[in-house]
Structure formats: C-alpha cells, structure tokens
Amino acid sequence: MALRSIKNVLADAALATPVQFLEWSKAWKIASENGSNESLLAFFGRESGIGEELFLQKLAVALEWPYLELSKVAVTAEAQKRIPTKVAFQYSVLPITFEENLLQVAVSNPFNSALLNSVQYAAQAPVKFCLAPRGEIEKALKRYYGVGAETLEELDEDESLDLDIASDKEITEGDQEASVIKFVNQVIWEAFKDRATDIHFEPAEDELRIRYRIDGILHQTPMPPQLKRFQSALISRIKVMAAMNISEKRLPQDGRINVRIKGEEIDIRVSTVPTVYGESVSLRLLTRGKIFLGLEKLGFAPNEENALREIVLKPHGILLVTGPTGAGKSTSLYAFLSTINSVHKRIITIEEPVEYELKGINQIAVRADIGLTFAMGLRHILRQDPNVIMVGEVRDLETAEIAIRAALTGHLVFSTLHTNDAPSAFTRLIDMGIEPFLVASSVEAVLAQRLVRTICQHCKTEQQVERDYLLKIGFPADKMETAIFYKGTGCEACRHLGYQGRMGIYELLILTEKIRPLILNRSAASTIAAKAIEGGMRTLRHDGWIKVMAGQTTIEEVLRVTQSEEHMGALVEDLTS
C-alpha cells in the first residue's frame, strides 16, 4: 500500500487526520533513526492515546479484516507448516489455521507490502490476513515455534556445520558458529526477561530440554524440535563462554560468565556434569543489583526487624540463618552486613562464591582446589583483627568449632546452616560434635526462612475458602471470619501462573534464659520450639498466615514451603502477639 493509501485508511477509520499522519510519520522516522524498533502502527497507536490494541481493532473494522486475541486462539500444526520459521520471525507473522485450502495469518502491519507478498509466496495458497498486536504475535511465535527457532533454522540450512566443536576458533568464527552464539544469547536473554534465576540444559535420548527456574519453580521453555541436533555445539559454546575445557566431557566442571544486559551486570555460574545422553549444564543467573536489599525491605514484622537490629549491633555472638538452597539466606546475610558496615568496623567474609561485592568489606572466595576451605579461611581471618566475620556456610565440625571460638573471643559471626527450622539448628550443631554449653553460650539467635511467591497484582482477585479446609490446615480459628483471601487468576504479565515475584517468611528464635537450659540438656528440637513459641516466636507457617491475610501470597504457597507443624494449635492462639 502506498503512503497515500495508508493516510486515507487511517482517516476513514478516524484514527489520524492528514496533518496528524504527517507529523507522526516524521516523528516515527526520527525515532527509528535513533535506534527505536517500534513499528509504525504501534507508534501511531501510542501517539493517538488509545494504544496499539484499540488502534488495530479500529483499523481492522476499516480494512474489513478480523481482529484476533491470540491468547484465545490455538495455532494448528498444518498452518504452522505453511510458513517457514525464518519468514514468520523476520516479519512477525503468525499462521493460525489452514482449512479448505485457505491459510489464516495474523499480522500487525497491514501496510507492509514486502510482508504481505512474502507470506503469500511462502504459503503457496490463498491467504486470509487478520490483525493482532506485534507483541502478542512475538510471544505466540516463541510459544509455538520455540525460543531461537529462526536461529536454528539458519543452522539447518548449512549441513556442513561440525557439531562436535573442539576449539575456541571453531566456535567463535564463521556464519554457522555465529548462529550458535546468537541462540545461546537468546536463551540467556529470554531467561533474564522472565526473571529466571537458573537455566538448565538437560539432554535426553531424543531431545535437549531447556528449563527456567522462575520464582523458585521450574518451567519448561518452548524449544524448536530440531534442538537435539545442535546439542554438542550449544554446550561447547557455553563452556567457551565460561572458560572451561570444551574437550573434557567425562568430568564435571565449574565456570563463570560475566555479561551485561540492558546496563545490568549479570554473573552466571556454570556447572556441567556428564550424563548418559550428554553433558547436563546448569546456569545460575545472579543480578548484582537485585540480590542486595536493605534489612527494612526483607519483609520482617516490625518487632522482628527491631530485634535483628539489636542482635547485629552486638559486639560478639553468632547469628545463624537456616533454610534450604534458594531460600534467600545470602540476601539476608548481606542485609545484616550492610546494616553495620562502617569505617569503624573491620568486616571479613569467606564465601562460596562471592555473590555480591560490598564496598568497604573484605571478601574471600573459597578455593577448594587449592585448599582454601571455609575452615582454613576462617582460621586465618581470626589473625586479621576483624570485628565481624561472615562464613558462607557451617558444613563441618572444624568450621563450627572455629566459628564458636571466634564468637566466644569477642567477634560477631554470621553464617548459614541447612536445617528445616530454627530450633533444629541447635540439635544440628550438637550432632556435629559441638558441646551443648558452647552452643548455648555462643549463639544469640537463629533465623529460619523460606521464599513464597507473591500474588500477581495484574490479575489479583478475591478467593473464597471453605471453613473446613481452613480448620484442616491449622489456619487461626479466630481470624477465619474476618480474613480475606486472594489469588491470581493468571495473565500475560505472570505467564498465566497467578504469581509474580517472591518474598520471605521468617521464624526468628532468640536465645533467652528459658531456652539455654534446654540446649544444655540436649532437649529435642520440638521441645525448644514449644518453649520459643511460648515466649512469642512466630513459626514459618505463622508468619506465612500473616502474609496471606495481608493479601501478599496464597494459602497454597505457604503450605508448599512449610512443613507440617504439630504444635500449630499452640502458635495460633494469638496471631497478633
């Protein structure tokens, strides 16, 4: 269509006067020259103030074309075969159905003659065009064709590519190798956009599965069916990026990649292990700007936050943070350190690895390959005249003994421990071989934590919950009548999951004179828990219920991350205590 025809169509649809069309066209051209990739119609829709979706709906009426909501439409395999992947991604067009020798195709720009001609030529059949927003088309392309499908098709077109790449030169030079690099970059980019913390490349007999961990839950990413053919090349590319030995495929390896995405520094920790069907690769994405949060932003209740501030300002003692891998323990430790970081205190940490660099703090990375373990590093840290020490994890008796000795000799020690709840930390230390009197005299507090997914604010809606179910799961009986429950119904913003983002739930056990004798007597964790609850401690599930009633998360999330608590009846007697 000529520009004059576009102007007339927009005028007939009451979308732009001739004067507006001229002004917007000039503005769009300038924006494009400055690097904007916004389509002409999306730009017009924004300038008109009605947005691209409504703009296209009105345009569809003027053109007498259908308008489709792609979230409610299923693409058929027959239609998908009619349009090559390269054409679909190059022009952002989506084949929908192919019935009675008529192909229906969704486009976002009906005025692009090159697009229309390419689709008609590729289809080799009559085409019925319809309109849909470009962003929705691109999402659907990834869902049906797979992430990076157009890149893999470029590889398919050249059968000379040697998939068993054995050197840096081979993987970084040449058009085919550039396509491998582009595909890996696309996978990392999509993970970053989706807020993923991990990417897993998992080889199977007939496929290479790629999964993202988003908000603590694994999601399989749509991938092109021919991905398995390029498994070796893709894994080799990742190993080159991580400075690993790409010729070694029999032993596990670890590496690290530093990249910048949209101005953000991303650290990627890479791990490979050999499996029956090839090497399995895991990438942990660490966004430096996002791991660091202040103590006030971690979601503590006011009384717990005040208690923690008092503990981290003490001159000596141990504060332990417990929970499984991925529970946010490192984030909490960094928040504690930042709270007390000043020129008057010498703070030294030993971590595996150093996840966030804190200004003014001396940080040591564990190097087990050369003998620099937690215990060895901690032993030498004590000779450096520190005020505060942070140990990444207490894993063994030697590390625990040195940490306790440090606390008893005037140092404040922060560390983590893998236990299910706060009271179990004491029995864990004693099981390691630490004398109970040393545990009771050195540990000041134990913080157990979990991460729960928060309800998506774009699709949040009230939820009705049966009273019998609430009684069964131990929800506070005195709050059932007044509590309002929410859930996410699922939308594009949250990938139709109903959740977006995460927050912490906590269990803070402060050692009091009533609890210390129980530790000395080697009492069971359940006995210590009962005494702590009696003294006002909130358990993980208790804190979870509070956040449910605040409309921040759901009942199902709290149940998912907390274990069954036999002492639930005792803890819910006064939910506001």
Side-chain angles (χ1 to χ4, degrees):
M1 249 182 230
L3 281 178
R4 186 179 60 80
S5 300
I6 300 174
K7 182 165 53 176
N8 292 341
V9 170
L10 295 180
D12 292 343
L15 290 171
T17 65
V19 174
Q20 286 176 322
F21 177 81
L22 185 60
E23 291 176 352
W24 294 349
S25 297
K26 290 179 179 178
W28 175 76
K29 185 177 181 181
I30 293 171
S32 299
E33 290 173 350
N34 290 331
S36 173
N37 61 354
E38 190 174 23
S39 69
L40 178 68
L41 292 187
F43 185 88
F44 280 14
R46 185 163 53 80
E47 289 296 314
S48 68
I50 63 175
E52 183 185 12
E53 186 175 337
L54 185 55
F55 190 93
L56 288 177
Q57 288 175 358
K58 290 188 174 184
L59 185 61
V61 173
L63 293 172
E64 296 183 350
W65 284 15
Y67 177 87
L68 294 181
E69 292 185 43
L70 296 184
S71 60
K72 299 178 181 179
V73 172
V75 172
T76 64
E78 292 79 11
Q80 198 171 330
K81 293 175 183 176
R82 304 298 300 190
I83 301 296
T85 305
K86 191 172 183 178
V87 173
F89 277 84
Q90 180 180 349
Y91 294 107
S92 289
V93 299
L94 181 71
I96 306 294
T97 59
F98 183 64
E99 297 174 348
E100 298 179 357
N101 202 38
L102 180 66
L103 179 66
Q104 185 182 41
V105 179
V107 302
S108 62
N109 186 357
F111 304 126
N112 187 333
S113 56
L115 178 157
L116 302 180
N117 293 335
S118 295
V119 170
Q120 288 173 331
Y121 177 79
Q124 295 294 304
V127 177
K128 177 184 178 183
F129 289 102
C130 55
L131 289 181
R134 179 169 180 167
E136 298 304 310
I137 291 175
E138 290 176 348
K139 287 180 184 177
L141 285 173
K142 290 171 187 172
R143 185 163 64 247
Y144 288 104
Y145 285 87
V147 173
E150 75 282 18
T151 304
L152 288 190
E153 187 167 272
E154 291 173 14
L155 289 172
D156 262 334
E157 291 172 357
D158 193 313
E159 298 178 357
S160 65
L161 176 63
D162 179 7
L163 297 183
D164 195 10
I165 296 172
S167 70
D168 285 16
K169 184 177 180 181
E170 285 180 299
I171 200 166
T172 56
E173 294 181 2
D175 295 337
Q176 298 85 6
E177 287 75 13
S179 295
V180 174
I181 294 170
K182 181 180 177 183
F183 180 83
V184 173
N185 290 346
Q186 281 180 292
V187 171
I188 295 174
W189 166 247
E190 290 295 328
F192 174 78
K193 283 202 304 181
D194 287 343
R195 301 175 297 104
T197 55
D198 299 86
I199 308 171
H200 299 290
F201 292 76
E202 302 168 320
E205 183 178 9
D206 55 355
E207 67 171 341
L208 175 62
R209 182 169 67 173
I210 298 180
R211 293 196 289 175
Y212 295 161
R213 188 177 294 278
I214 302 170
D215 294 335
I217 304 296
L218 280 172
H219 301 277
Q220 184 157 352
T221 305
M223 284 292 155
Q226 72 269 37
L227 183 62
K228 178 68 177 179
R229 292 184 51 225
F230 310 105
Q231 174 179 311
S232 185
L234 298 175
I235 292 174
S236 292
R237 169 59 190 164
I238 294 170
K239 291 167 77 173
V240 167
M241 293 172 70
M244 297 164 129
N245 181 358
I246 65 173
S247 63
E248 179 56 75
K249 302 178 181 180
R250 301 165 301 169
L251 295 173
Q253 294 187 68
D254 293 311
R256 195 163 187 166
I257 303 169
N258 294 310
V259 298
R260 181 184 291 271
I261 302 178
K262 284 204 168 183
E264 289 196 62
E265 291 279 346
I266 311 294
D267 285 339
I268 304 176
R269 298 198 304 245
V270 183
S271 171
T272 67
V273 294
T275 70
V276 174
Y277 299 110
E279 289 178 284
S280 175
V281 183
S282 291
L283 281 65
R284 167 66 60 88
L285 277 63
L286 185 65
T287 307
R288 292 186 172 187
K290 291 183 179 177
I291 187 175
F292 180 63
L293 296 172
L295 192 60
E296 69 282 355
K297 295 181 180 180
L298 295 183
F300 290 108
N303 60 328
E304 290 176 340
E305 184 181 330
N306 292 334
L308 281 168
R309 289 188 184 278
E310 290 181 12
I311 292 166
V312 300
L313 289 173
K314 288 188 175 184
H316 56 79
I318 297 178
L319 172 57
L320 292 171
V321 182
T322 75
T325 301
K329 300 187 295 297
S330 295
T331 301
S332 295
L333 288 175
Y334 284 130
F336 300 153
L337 291 177
S338 67
T339 301
I340 60 175
N341 188 13
S342 73
V343 295
H344 305 294
K345 288 188 177 180
R346 180 163 167 77
I347 303 174
I348 305 178
T349 75
I350 180 161
E351 310 167 54
E352 185 184 20
V354 174
E355 295 185 357
Y356 185 86
E357 295 175 9
L358 288 170
K359 189 176 181 180
I361 292 178
N362 302 282
Q363 295 172 271
I364 303 169
V366 166
R367 292 281 306 277
D369 56 329
I370 60 173
L372 180 52
T373 62
F374 279 119
M376 179 187 179
L378 185 53
R379 194 180 300 113
H380 287 276
I381 285 173
L382 292 175
R383 300 171 189 165
Q384 293 281 316
D385 186 34
N387 299 103
V388 181
I389 301 169
M390 194 265 272
V391 184
E393 183 183 345
V394 174
R395 294 179 178 174
D396 50 46
L397 175 60
E398 186 180 8
T399 306
E401 285 179 334
I402 301 171
I404 286 175
R405 191 185 313 138
L408 294 175
T409 54
H411 303 87
L412 182 62
V413 181
F414 299 141
S415 191
T416 67
L417 200 63
H418 284 286
T419 61
N420 288 329
D421 55 20
S424 298
F426 304 111
T427 55
R428 173 78 177 116
L429 289 172
I430 293 171
D431 288 342
M432 279 185 180
I434 304 296
E435 290 294 332
F437 74 91
L438 291 175
V439 176
S441 56
S442 61
V443 178
E444 293 292 334
V446 180
L447 176 70
Q449 66 180 68
R450 299 287 190 278
L451 292 177
V452 294
R453 292 180 292 173
T454 51
I455 300 171
C456 174
Q457 296 302 307
H458 297 91
C459 58
K460 182 177 178 180
T461 185
E462 192 172 329
Q463 178 185 22
Q464 298 299 318
V465 183
E466 294 293 331
R467 181 182 176 86
D468 290 344
Y469 176 70
L470 294 175
L471 289 170
K472 181 180 178 181
I473 62 176
F475 191 84
D478 60 330
K479 302 293 180 181
M480 290 182 187
E481 299 301 326
T482 57
I484 301 176
F485 304 99
Y486 296 91
K487 68 174 181 179
T489 56
C491 63
E492 286 293 329
C494 63
R495 296 167 57 105
H496 301 282
L497 298 172
Y499 298 100
Q500 193 173 44
R502 289 190 291 177
M503 69 182 304
I505 59 173
Y506 304 97
E507 177 176 289
L508 178 61
L509 193 163
I510 300 174
L511 261 73
T512 63
E513 294 309 314
K514 292 183 179 180
I515 292 177
R516 292 186 196 276
L518 298 178
I519 298 171
L520 292 171
N521 294 329
R522 298 176 183 265
S523 299
S526 57
T527 304
I528 297 173
K531 182 62 70 173
I533 292 169
E534 188 180 300
M537 181 188 81
R538 288 176 175 168
T539 67
L540 287 165
R541 189 171 288 189
H542 183 178
D543 193 40
W545 294 148
I546 292 173
K547 289 177 168 69
V548 166
M549 289 186 288
Q552 296 169 310
T553 189
T554 64
I555 291 173
E556 291 74 19
E557 267 299 285
V558 173
L559 295 176
R560 181 179 68 85
V561 302
T562 59
Q563 61 181 2
S564 177
E565 298 172 348
E566 295 178 0
H567 47 266
M568 185 61 66
L571 67 89
V572 297
E573 289 180 357
D574 185 7
L575 194 56
T576 59
S577 63

PDB file of all heavy atoms in Angstrom, residues 301 303 476 478-479 536 538 542 546 549 571-577:
ATOM      1  N   ALA A 301       8.387  -8.516  60.262  1.00  0.00           N
ATOM      2  CA  ALA A 301       7.454  -7.790  61.118  1.00  0.00           C
ATOM      3  C   ALA A 301       8.259  -6.760  61.905  1.00  0.00           C
ATOM      4  O   ALA A 301       9.443  -6.973  62.179  1.00  0.00           O
ATOM      5  CB  ALA A 301       6.746  -8.764  62.066  1.00  0.00           C
ATOM      6  N   ASN A 303       8.531  -5.883  65.027  1.00  0.00           N
ATOM      7  CA  ASN A 303       9.226  -6.347  66.232  1.00  0.00           C
ATOM      8  C   ASN A 303      10.409  -7.243  65.904  1.00  0.00           C
ATOM      9  O   ASN A 303      11.451  -7.200  66.569  1.00  0.00           O
ATOM     10  CB  ASN A 303       8.249  -7.055  67.174  1.00  0.00           C
ATOM     11  CG  ASN A 303       7.597  -8.267  66.536  1.00  0.00           C
ATOM     12  OD1 ASN A 303       7.365  -8.284  65.329  1.00  0.00           O
ATOM     13  ND2 ASN A 303       7.293  -9.281  67.329  1.00  0.00           N
ATOM     14  N   PRO A 476      -5.616 -19.964  61.811  1.00  0.00           N
ATOM     15  CA  PRO A 476      -6.143 -19.449  63.081  1.00  0.00           C
ATOM     16  C   PRO A 476      -7.659 -19.337  63.080  1.00  0.00           C
ATOM     17  O   PRO A 476      -8.248 -18.626  62.257  1.00  0.00           O
ATOM     18  CB  PRO A 476      -5.489 -18.069  63.191  1.00  0.00           C
ATOM     19  CG  PRO A 476      -4.245 -18.181  62.389  1.00  0.00           C
ATOM     20  CD  PRO A 476      -4.560 -19.095  61.257  1.00  0.00           C
ATOM     21  N   ASP A 478      -9.705 -17.899  65.108  1.00  0.00           N
ATOM     22  CA  ASP A 478     -10.278 -16.597  65.456  1.00  0.00           C
ATOM     23  C   ASP A 478     -10.149 -15.578  64.325  1.00  0.00           C
ATOM     24  O   ASP A 478     -10.695 -14.477  64.412  1.00  0.00           O
ATOM     25  CB  ASP A 478      -9.625 -16.044  66.725  1.00  0.00           C
ATOM     26  CG  ASP A 478      -8.125 -15.867  66.564  1.00  0.00           C
ATOM     27  OD1 ASP A 478      -7.529 -16.639  65.800  1.00  0.00           O
ATOM     28  OD2 ASP A 478      -7.568 -14.947  67.198  1.00  0.00           O
ATOM     29  N   LYS A 479      -9.448 -15.926  63.242  1.00  0.00           N
ATOM     30  CA  LYS A 479      -9.282 -14.999  62.130  1.00  0.00           C
ATOM     31  C   LYS A 479     -10.097 -15.407  60.901  1.00  0.00           C
ATOM     32  O   LYS A 479     -10.117 -14.684  59.906  1.00  0.00           O
ATOM     33  CB  LYS A 479      -7.801 -14.919  61.729  1.00  0.00           C
ATOM     34  CG  LYS A 479      -6.872 -14.475  62.853  1.00  0.00           C
ATOM     35  CD  LYS A 479      -7.130 -13.045  63.258  1.00  0.00           C
ATOM     36  CE  LYS A 479      -6.189 -12.618  64.371  1.00  0.00           C
ATOM     37  NZ  LYS A 479      -6.443 -11.222  64.797  1.00  0.00           N
ATOM     38  N   GLY A 536       6.773 -16.187  72.429  1.00  0.00           N
ATOM     39  CA  GLY A 536       6.345 -15.222  71.416  1.00  0.00           C
ATOM     40  C   GLY A 536       6.930 -15.414  70.035  1.00  0.00           C
ATOM     41  O   GLY A 536       6.707 -14.579  69.152  1.00  0.00           O
ATOM     42  N   ARG A 538       7.241 -16.470  66.285  1.00  0.00           N
ATOM     43  CA  ARG A 538       6.359 -16.827  65.173  1.00  0.00           C
ATOM     44  C   ARG A 538       7.042 -17.908  64.351  1.00  0.00           C
ATOM     45  O   ARG A 538       8.186 -17.748  63.940  1.00  0.00           O
ATOM     46  CB  ARG A 538       6.102 -15.625  64.271  1.00  0.00           C
ATOM     47  CG  ARG A 538       5.201 -14.573  64.871  1.00  0.00           C
ATOM     48  CD  ARG A 538       5.104 -13.397  63.918  1.00  0.00           C
ATOM     49  NE  ARG A 538       4.163 -12.399  64.389  1.00  0.00           N
ATOM     50  CZ  ARG A 538       4.049 -11.184  63.880  1.00  0.00           C
ATOM     51  NH1 ARG A 538       4.832 -10.830  62.881  1.00  0.00           N
ATOM     52  NH2 ARG A 538       3.176 -10.329  64.346  1.00  0.00           N
ATOM     53  N   HIS A 542       3.202 -19.586  60.727  1.00  0.00           N
ATOM     54  CA  HIS A 542       2.521 -18.477  61.396  1.00  0.00           C
ATOM     55  C   HIS A 542       2.766 -17.179  60.630  1.00  0.00           C
ATOM     56  O   HIS A 542       1.836 -16.417  60.329  1.00  0.00           O
ATOM     57  CB  HIS A 542       3.072 -18.385  62.824  1.00  0.00           C
ATOM     58  CG  HIS A 542       2.413 -17.335  63.667  1.00  0.00           C
ATOM     59  ND1 HIS A 542       2.743 -17.141  64.977  1.00  0.00           N
ATOM     60  CD2 HIS A 542       1.458 -16.423  63.398  1.00  0.00           C
ATOM     61  CE1 HIS A 542       2.022 -16.150  65.474  1.00  0.00           C
ATOM     62  NE2 HIS A 542       1.228 -15.699  64.535  1.00  0.00           N
ATOM     63  N   ILE A 546       0.122 -14.637  58.265  1.00  0.00           N
ATOM     64  CA  ILE A 546       0.021 -13.176  58.363  1.00  0.00           C
ATOM     65  C   ILE A 546       0.138 -12.540  56.971  1.00  0.00           C
ATOM     66  O   ILE A 546      -0.602 -11.624  56.625  1.00  0.00           O
ATOM     67  CB  ILE A 546       1.116 -12.629  59.307  1.00  0.00           C
ATOM     68  CG1 ILE A 546       0.829 -13.080  60.743  1.00  0.00           C
ATOM     69  CG2 ILE A 546       1.196 -11.113  59.234  1.00  0.00           C
ATOM     70  CD1 ILE A 546       1.913 -12.735  61.726  1.00  0.00           C
ATOM     71  N   MET A 549      -3.081 -13.129  55.021  1.00  0.00           N
ATOM     72  CA  MET A 549      -4.144 -12.201  55.408  1.00  0.00           C
ATOM     73  C   MET A 549      -3.868 -10.780  54.937  1.00  0.00           C
ATOM     74  O   MET A 549      -4.793  -9.979  54.798  1.00  0.00           O
ATOM     75  CB  MET A 549      -4.340 -12.238  56.927  1.00  0.00           C
ATOM     76  CG  MET A 549      -4.989 -13.525  57.406  1.00  0.00           C
ATOM     77  SD  MET A 549      -5.398 -13.519  59.161  1.00  0.00           S
ATOM     78  CE  MET A 549      -3.785 -13.635  59.888  1.00  0.00           C
ATOM     79  N   LEU A 571       0.575 -22.218  68.463  1.00  0.00           N
ATOM     80  CA  LEU A 571       1.079 -20.973  67.891  1.00  0.00           C
ATOM     81  C   LEU A 571      -0.018 -20.061  67.381  1.00  0.00           C
ATOM     82  O   LEU A 571       0.204 -18.875  67.195  1.00  0.00           O
ATOM     83  CB  LEU A 571       2.073 -21.258  66.766  1.00  0.00           C
ATOM     84  CG  LEU A 571       1.576 -21.899  65.478  1.00  0.00           C
ATOM     85  CD1 LEU A 571       1.125 -20.833  64.491  1.00  0.00           C
ATOM     86  CD2 LEU A 571       2.687 -22.724  64.858  1.00  0.00           C
ATOM     87  N   VAL A 572      -1.222 -20.572  67.124  1.00  0.00           N
ATOM     88  CA  VAL A 572      -2.269 -19.730  66.552  1.00  0.00           C
ATOM     89  C   VAL A 572      -3.211 -19.163  67.602  1.00  0.00           C
ATOM     90  O   VAL A 572      -4.200 -18.538  67.275  1.00  0.00           O
ATOM     91  CB  VAL A 572      -3.100 -20.531  65.516  1.00  0.00           C
ATOM     92  CG1 VAL A 572      -2.245 -20.949  64.375  1.00  0.00           C
ATOM     93  CG2 VAL A 572      -3.806 -21.707  66.131  1.00  0.00           C
ATOM     94  N   GLU A 573      -2.897 -19.355  68.859  1.00  0.00           N
ATOM     95  CA  GLU A 573      -3.797 -18.850  69.890  1.00  0.00           C
ATOM     96  C   GLU A 573      -3.893 -17.327  69.853  1.00  0.00           C
ATOM     97  O   GLU A 573      -4.930 -16.753  70.114  1.00  0.00           O
ATOM     98  CB  GLU A 573      -3.306 -19.305  71.268  1.00  0.00           C
ATOM     99  CG  GLU A 573      -3.511 -20.787  71.500  1.00  0.00           C
ATOM    100  CD  GLU A 573      -3.026 -21.223  72.868  1.00  0.00           C
ATOM    101  OE1 GLU A 573      -2.483 -20.366  73.592  1.00  0.00           O
ATOM    102  OE2 GLU A 573      -3.205 -22.393  73.197  1.00  0.00           O
ATOM    103  N   ASP A 574      -2.789 -16.689  69.540  1.00  0.00           N
ATOM    104  CA  ASP A 574      -2.803 -15.231  69.456  1.00  0.00           C
ATOM    105  C   ASP A 574      -1.993 -14.790  68.250  1.00  0.00           C
ATOM    106  O   ASP A 574      -0.791 -14.612  68.330  1.00  0.00           O
ATOM    107  CB  ASP A 574      -2.236 -14.621  70.740  1.00  0.00           C
ATOM    108  CG  ASP A 574      -2.346 -13.096  70.731  1.00  0.00           C
ATOM    109  OD1 ASP A 574      -2.973 -12.572  69.789  1.00  0.00           O
ATOM    110  OD2 ASP A 574      -1.813 -12.446  71.646  1.00  0.00           O
ATOM    111  N   LEU A 575      -2.640 -14.628  67.120  1.00  0.00           N
ATOM    112  CA  LEU A 575      -1.936 -14.361  65.867  1.00  0.00           C
ATOM    113  C   LEU A 575      -1.286 -12.992  65.860  1.00  0.00           C
ATOM    114  O   LEU A 575      -0.349 -12.741  65.133  1.00  0.00           O
ATOM    115  CB  LEU A 575      -2.916 -14.461  64.698  1.00  0.00           C
ATOM    116  CG  LEU A 575      -2.313 -14.539  63.304  1.00  0.00           C
ATOM    117  CD1 LEU A 575      -1.341 -15.699  63.196  1.00  0.00           C
ATOM    118  CD2 LEU A 575      -3.384 -14.625  62.264  1.00  0.00           C
ATOM    119  N   THR A 576      -1.758 -12.097  66.667  1.00  0.00           N
ATOM    120  CA  THR A 576      -1.211 -10.746  66.662  1.00  0.00           C
ATOM    121  C   THR A 576      -0.170 -10.521  67.741  1.00  0.00           C
ATOM    122  O   THR A 576       0.298  -9.410  67.929  1.00  0.00           O
ATOM    123  CB  THR A 576      -2.354  -9.726  66.859  1.00  0.00           C
ATOM    124  OG1 THR A 576      -3.009  -9.985  68.100  1.00  0.00           O
ATOM    125  CG2 THR A 576      -3.347  -9.811  65.729  1.00  0.00           C
ATOM    126  N   SER A 577       0.207 -11.566  68.474  1.00  0.00           N
ATOM    127  CA  SER A 577       1.200 -11.394  69.544  1.00  0.00           C
ATOM    128  C   SER A 577       2.572 -11.103  68.952  1.00  0.00           C
ATOM    129  O   SER A 577       2.888 -11.487  67.850  1.00  0.00           O
ATOM    130  CB  SER A 577       1.269 -12.642  70.389  1.00  0.00           C
ATOM    131  OG  SER A 577       1.712 -13.740  69.634  1.00  0.00           O
TER     132      SER A 577
END
